[in-house]
């Protein structure tokens, strides 16, 4: 028992764990090593779930998507310099996508780093992290751990969410403090992301613009999905009667089968709409910056935008009615305004034209999805996966690749919010296994990861992690022997393969078997459907090598036009 002469002590290790637990952090996504190994052991001992990855980028991606799914920052922990840098890509990607996450990296001795005397894993990590995230902090004294963790959490989730870096020098962990003083130093963040109400004038301006519209359109972005204001968004869409177009990760916020969905009439609504309400969607490259051919006649659009970040307004085109606030408060204010102000539904001419185009496009696609051809093409294979998700609407879908991404986005209907997780704003390859792990850990639901063979390679080693934690993840690798296609050849006729292709007819399923998971090789959509259904029902880690025709697919999927071309090309 403790006496006055022998005060109960705490230390930096313990305070980091206490601070995270006090703030409701339950899972850590990590790669161990000096100086954080004992921290991770102790965290597990204290009941945190510690998911240990094979590469920090995957741990970081897991933390990022945990943040998107839960509205709490996902926490990734790494070692110094190289481990930190490996995690940094995920931190930057999280910030770009507005996912709240905290990267906590151990770092080397400040005195040696700052004099550049060549410490073990020496690097000025704080300076490097700063331009790539929302905020970056370093803690030098154990009594500041509580306030630093609180600050990191608030910075990650308030306003526009994003990545935060927390630098913890090795010396901090073993600093000793009186336990009572340590406890007093902890801070539980109160109301981490307070509501931000839109200005009444801005609401009135937006309603005015919407009322005058002949062909209005609502675009839902992943910000709207993140907000977890699902009922408020549904109410706005349904009260207004306006067709809606979901961006990739907003699919399912309202079901893709909703009568007002314009998902299958995308080109038409972007070209023809006259007033566009953006809800947590940015006018970046994914929406052709709000101008150009995609958007029809120059000057034909009026844009209204809901975003929590004022600087998002007028980023690409003029916003006539900027609504700065959180999604829930803004859409509710619009719904209330409509109910009060005698809202009339948009002209039937417009809504029936959108519905007709949608039905026509769906009907045109239908026979392709029924194809049972072998070798499989993308449509036949994705038709099978579409059925799997239809039958399990609460499963999470992770998706990356080029053709595998673009075609799956269009073909696989989503039925519930925040079930589709993909490459996001950067179109980054490598999110697959990190996202799949966190999706399973955070939701407890089965996860289907639909992966191009190239895309899968960026994080493929994490199949071992999936097996080790026995996660209900089914990975389908669309194996067409290469990047986009599997048919490129070396123009010189030399023995090196083209940079665009891989070992032909590889058996990715055997990677899974190496770690005790289930591996299946399939060559027809029927086999694919059966294998995936079984995996989703059993919850066993499974990898299905889906053999796709190497001729199927097009350069860069839907975005081939972004490739520069050479005027002097030989071969
Ligand atoms: N590196 C990163 C980090 N991100 C990227 N988007 C790329 C490289 C370029 N890139 C875009 S898609 C892609 C690559 C390498 C892979 C496409 O091939 P695959 O995953 O096999 O998909 P497919 O078109 O065959 O469906």
């Amino acid at each position: 028992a403790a006496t006055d002469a022998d005060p109960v002590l705490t230390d930096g290790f313990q305070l980091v764990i206490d601070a995270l637990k006090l703030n409701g952090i339950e899972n850590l996504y990590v790669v161990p090593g000096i100086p954080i190994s004992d921290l991770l052991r102790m965290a597990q001992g204290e009941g945190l779930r510690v998911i240990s990855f094979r590469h920090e980028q995957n741990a970081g991606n897991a933390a990022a998507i945990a943040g998107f799914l839960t509205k709490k920052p996902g926490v990734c922990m790494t070692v110094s310099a190289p481990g930190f840098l490996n995690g940094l890509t995920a931190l930057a990607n999280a910030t770009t996508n507005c996912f709240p996450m905290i990267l906590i990296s151990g770092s080397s001795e400040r005195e040696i780093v700052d004099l550049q005397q060549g410490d073990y894993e020496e690097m000025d990590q704080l300076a490097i992290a700063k331009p790539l995230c929302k905020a970056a902090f370093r803690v030098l004294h154990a009594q500041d751990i509580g306030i630093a963790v609180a600050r990191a959490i608030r910075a990650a989730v308030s306003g526009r969410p994003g990545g935060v870096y927390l630098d913890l020098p090795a010396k901090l962990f073993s600093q000793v403090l009186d336990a009572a003083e340590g406890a007093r130093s902890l801070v539980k963040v109160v109301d981490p992301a307070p509501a931000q109400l839109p200005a009444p004038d801005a609401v009135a301006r937006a309603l005015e613009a919407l009322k005058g519209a002949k062909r209005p359109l609502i675009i839902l972005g992943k910000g709207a999905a993140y907000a977890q204001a699902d009922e408020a968004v549904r109410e706005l869409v349904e009260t207004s009667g306006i067709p809606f177009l979901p961006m990739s990760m907003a699919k399912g916020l309202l079901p893709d089968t909703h009568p007002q969905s314009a998902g299958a009439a995308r080109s038409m609504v972007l070209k023809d709409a006259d007033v566009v309400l953006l809800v947590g969607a940015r006018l970046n490259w994914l929406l052709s910056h709000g101008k150009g051919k995609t958007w029809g006649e120059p000057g034909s659009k009026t844009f209204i935008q809901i975003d929590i970040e004022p600087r998002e307004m007028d980023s690409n085109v003029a916003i006539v009615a900027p609504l700065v606030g959180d999604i829930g408060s803004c859409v509710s204010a619009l719904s209330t305004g409509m109910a009060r102000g005698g809202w009339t539904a948009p002209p039937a001419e417009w809504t029936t034209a959108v519905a007709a185009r949608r039905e026509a496009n769906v009907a045109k696609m239908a026979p392709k999805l029924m194809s049972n051809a072998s070798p499989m093409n993308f449509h036949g294979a994705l038709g099978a996966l579409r059925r799997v998700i239809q039958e399990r609407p609460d499963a999470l879908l992770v998706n990356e690749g080029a053709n595998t991404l673009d075609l799956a986005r269009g073909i696989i209907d989503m039925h519930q919010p925040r079930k589709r997780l993909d490459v996001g704003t950067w179109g980054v390859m490598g999110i697959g296994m990190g996202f799949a792990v966190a999706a399973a850990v955070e939701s407890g639901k089965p996860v289907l990861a639909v992966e191009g063979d190239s895309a899968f390679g960026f994080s493929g080693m994490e199949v071992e992690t999936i097996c080790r934690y026995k996660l209900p993840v089914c990975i389908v690798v669309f194996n067409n022997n290469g990047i986009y296609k599997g048919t490129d050849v070396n123009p010189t006729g030399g023995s090196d393969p083209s940079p665009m292709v891989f070992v032909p007819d590889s058996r990715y399923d055997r990677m899974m078997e190496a770690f005790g998971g289930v591996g299946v090789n399939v060559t027809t959509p029927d086999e694919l459907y059966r294998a995936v259904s079984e995996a989703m029902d059993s919850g066993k880690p499974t990898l299905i090598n889906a053999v796709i025709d190497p001729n199927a697919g097009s350069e860069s999927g839907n975005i081939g036009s972004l490739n520069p071309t050479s005027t002097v090309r030989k071969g």
Side-chain angles (χ1 to χ4, degrees):
T3 65
D4 284 351
D6 173 23
V8 183
L9 298 177
T10 189
D11 64 9
F13 288 106
Q14 189 62 47
L15 286 167
V16 170
I17 295 164
D18 291 346
L20 292 171
K21 281 178 72 171
L22 180 67
N23 284 289
I25 303 296
E26 293 167 357
N27 303 312
L28 303 179
Y29 299 97
V30 311
V31 175
I34 298 171
I36 63 163
S37 301
D38 272 353
L39 178 69
L40 303 180
R41 292 190 180 102
M42 288 170 70
Q44 189 173 48
E46 297 257 344
L48 282 157
R49 188 153 195 216
V50 183
I51 307 289
S52 182
F53 285 73
R54 306 301 292 261
H55 190 289
E56 291 87 352
Q57 191 176 118
N58 306 320
N61 284 326
I65 210 65
F68 171 76
L69 288 169
T70 63
K71 283 185 100 174
K72 281 196 289 190
V75 176
C76 172
M77 287 191 184
T78 80
V79 304
S80 340
F84 156 77
L85 285 175
N86 285 344
L88 198 55
T89 305
L91 187 71
N93 189 53
T95 307
T96 299
N97 282 284
C98 317
F99 300 155
M101 82 172 267
I102 303 174
L103 175 67
I104 301 181
S105 295
S107 60
S108 305
E109 302 307 330
R110 287 254 43 88
E111 295 81 353
I112 305 180
V113 172
D114 289 348
L115 271 172
Q116 298 173 34
Q117 293 174 313
D119 200 6
Y120 169 68
E121 300 195 344
E122 175 179 298
M123 175 172 275
D124 187 359
Q125 295 167 197
L126 186 70
I128 289 165
K130 251 180 205 164
L132 298 173
C133 58
K134 255 187 99 175
F137 308 108
R138 177 186 292 134
V139 192
L140 294 178
H141 301 297
Q143 59 267 38
D144 293 332
I145 287 171
I147 200 71
V149 168
R151 249 198 126 178
I153 291 171
R154 189 176 292 283
V157 297
S158 59
R160 167 172 286 177
V164 174
Y165 175 61
L166 196 56
D167 192 81
L168 304 184
K171 263 190 192 166
L172 179 77
F173 295 113
S174 43
Q175 278 178 29
V176 172
L177 214 65
D178 171 73
E181 189 193 342
R184 277 197 304 275
S185 73
L186 298 178
V187 177
K188 185 170 164 62
V189 179
V190 176
D191 195 7
Q196 279 180 236
L197 307 187
D201 281 1
V203 176
R205 202 175 288 126
L207 286 167
E208 195 63 27
L210 281 169
K211 275 184 190 154
K214 295 199 172 59
R215 296 178 306 281
L217 174 68
I218 295 175
I219 299 184
L220 302 174
K222 65 177 171 313
Y226 170 81
Q228 298 191 19
D230 307 340
E231 277 318 303
V233 171
R234 175 190 292 273
E235 196 190 327
L236 174 67
V237 168
E238 293 183 349
T239 327
S240 70
I242 299 173
F244 70 93
L245 179 68
M247 298 302 287
S248 199
M249 281 178 60
K251 276 167 67 78
L253 181 46
L254 279 87
D256 282 330
T257 50
H258 191 284
Q260 284 168 258
S261 170
R266 186 178 195 273
S267 343
M268 175 196 175
V269 291
L270 292 185
K271 191 161 85 38
D272 292 347
D274 59 352
V275 177
V276 178
L277 169 61
L278 299 155
V279 183
R282 293 173 286 184
L283 278 177
N284 57 21
W285 71 281
L286 287 157
L287 282 171
S288 309
H289 306 282
K291 51 200 170 191
K293 243 173 49 196
T294 313
W295 290 92
E297 284 299 304
S300 64
K301 307 291 174 217
T302 297
F303 287 104
I304 305 164
Q305 184 159 22
I306 298 178
D307 204 287
I308 201 156
E309 171 55 63
R311 284 177 303 175
E312 191 57 43
M313 307 299 166
D314 310 312
S315 62
N316 285 272
V317 296
I319 301 299
V320 304
L323 255 77
V324 176
D326 70 275
I327 300 286
S329 301
C330 290
V331 297
S332 300
L334 288 179
S335 297
T336 307
M338 284 175 182
R340 281 214 198 106
W343 174 257
T344 47
E349 201 183 326
W350 169 240
T351 52
T352 51
V354 174
R357 176 65 67 93
R358 184 187 68 220
E359 296 314 321
N361 284 345
V362 167
K364 206 161 80 190
M365 175 99 84
K368 291 194 202 169
L369 303 181
M370 309 284 285
S371 158
N372 201 35
S374 179
M376 290 187 277
N377 54 42
F378 287 97
H379 284 87
L382 288 166
L385 300 183
R386 180 180 199 263
R387 265 171 73 201
V388 172
I389 292 297
Q390 204 167 6
E391 290 161 3
R392 291 168 193 75
D394 63 342
L396 286 95
L397 176 73
V398 172
N399 189 199
E400 61 177 334
N403 294 280
T404 306
L405 175 88
D406 291 334
L407 292 168
R409 183 193 301 117
I411 291 170
I412 303 180
D413 283 338
M414 302 309 295
H415 308 274
Q416 294 180 11
R418 294 172 296 283
K419 299 296 186 186
R420 187 186 154 81
L421 312 173
D422 69 27
V423 300
T425 311
W426 269 350
V428 65
M429 299 297 110
I431 50 88
M433 297 305 101
F435 277 19
V437 167
V441 167
E442 301 288 339
S443 75
K445 300 269 181 346
V447 177
L448 173 62
V450 181
E451 302 273 315
D453 50 346
S454 165
F456 173 69
F458 286 72
S459 65
M461 191 63 211
E462 304 298 346
V463 294
E464 188 276 332
T465 309
I466 291 167
C467 289
R468 187 163 18 105
Y469 290 93
K470 302 184 174 58
L471 298 173
V473 175
C474 173
I475 305 154
V476 176
V477 175
F478 274 23
N479 186 357
N480 64 351
N481 291 350
I483 297 178
Y484 315 139
K485 285 174 174 262
T487 50
D488 276 56
V489 292
N490 182 337
T492 70
S495 61
D496 275 355
S498 156
M500 308 303 285
V501 301
F502 303 132
V503 170
D505 308 322
S506 295
R507 292 287 302 273
Y508 292 97
D509 49 312
R510 292 189 180 150
M511 286 176 65
M512 201 60 155
E513 289 174 348
F515 302 109
V518 178
V520 190
N521 186 59
V522 302
T523 57
T524 69
D526 281 349
E527 283 172 10
L528 177 61
Y529 172 77
R530 280 198 299 273
V532 178
S533 302
E534 197 177 317
M536 301 294 277
D537 292 342
S538 75
K540 284 187 195 149
T542 302
L543 193 156
I544 298 167
N545 186 60
V547 180
I548 304 284
D549 185 348
N551 285 295
S554 53
E555 181 83 7
S556 304
N558 279 355
I559 55 172
S561 62
L562 298 181
N563 284 303
T565 52
S566 166
T567 43
V568 297
R569 172 174 174 167
K570 300 192 180 89

